[in-house]
Amino acid sequence: MQRPANEVMQSVVFSAVLDAMQALKKASGGLPNNMVRDIQAIHANVTFADLPKDVQDAIVESTRAAFTMLLKEGYAVGPKQQMQQSRPLDRVPERDRRPRPPGDGPRRSPRPPRGDGPGRPRGDGPGRPRGDGPGKPGGGPSGPGGPNRPRRKPKGKPRLS
């Protein structure tokens, strides 16, 4: 089973740090003062050439081991241009963009026309004046909902007038 890239990189970095620490111990020759001096010489602007030879060798070996581990786990490692060309195909196929022959009907049903229609009372549409028309409270003989909508029965006990 393939491990997540985050987990693989974490193990690569962890082993590289451990290898570098072992190399610092080896470079100091077992003398604590030399090891402290070597550690204090490492800072944000240090270059590869400034490091002790044993640490340089440990970094080179850790880099090789990291690439080997990534390849073993199934991750592709290579130059950017080469990796972009050989990308795996998408799971969702791209839709057909060729022009369709004339007479071939639409793939989807067309949208209903906007404006006044059987389900749209006057005055409810966008950009229309909101006057007293049918569909507004007190705006017509049939009440709210327009002329085609049946009246609802009132809830509760009937009132005696």
Side-chain angles (χ1 to χ4, degrees):
M1 185 172 104
Q2 187 176 355
R3 294 190 307 173
N6 187 28
E7 194 176 305
V8 174
M9 287 307 299
Q10 186 178 15
S11 66
V12 164
V13 170
F14 182 71
S15 50
V17 169
L18 289 178
D19 291 344
M21 292 171 90
Q22 290 297 323
L24 279 170
K25 284 182 183 178
K26 184 178 175 186
S28 69
L31 301 172
N33 289 342
N34 288 347
M35 190 168 104
V36 170
R37 185 194 66 218
D38 289 341
I39 290 173
Q40 287 179 340
I42 298 172
H43 51 82
N45 294 329
V46 74
T47 64
F48 186 73
D50 294 338
L51 296 172
K53 178 74 173 129
D54 290 333
V55 176
Q56 290 178 9
D57 293 342
I59 290 173
V60 169
E61 186 59 35
S62 294
T63 306
R64 282 192 193 118
F67 280 110
T68 304
M69 185 182 295
L70 285 170
L71 290 172
K72 271 189 202 177
E73 291 291 332
Y75 292 98
V77 181
K80 184 177 181 180
Q81 294 82 10
Q82 185 181 15
M83 298 314 295
Q84 286 177 344
Q85 289 172 355
S86 63
R87 273 183 41 208
L89 294 175
D90 291 334
R91 290 184 195 180
V92 179
E94 208 170 306
R95 65 184 174 100
D96 189 14
R97 297 187 186 272
R98 291 178 289 162
R100 295 194 346 248
D104 191 15
R107 292 184 184 177
R108 290 184 268 163
S109 63
R111 286 186 170 176
R114 296 197 53 126
D116 288 341
R120 186 167 228 176
R122 283 182 48 93
D124 274 358
R128 300 230 178 165
R130 298 189 66 93
D132 282 341
K136 299 290 181 230
S142 63
N148 296 334
R149 186 171 180 170
R151 287 186 163 245
R152 285 189 278 162
K153 292 183 180 176
K155 293 182 181 178
K157 292 182 182 179
R159 288 189 294 184
L160 299 175
S161 349

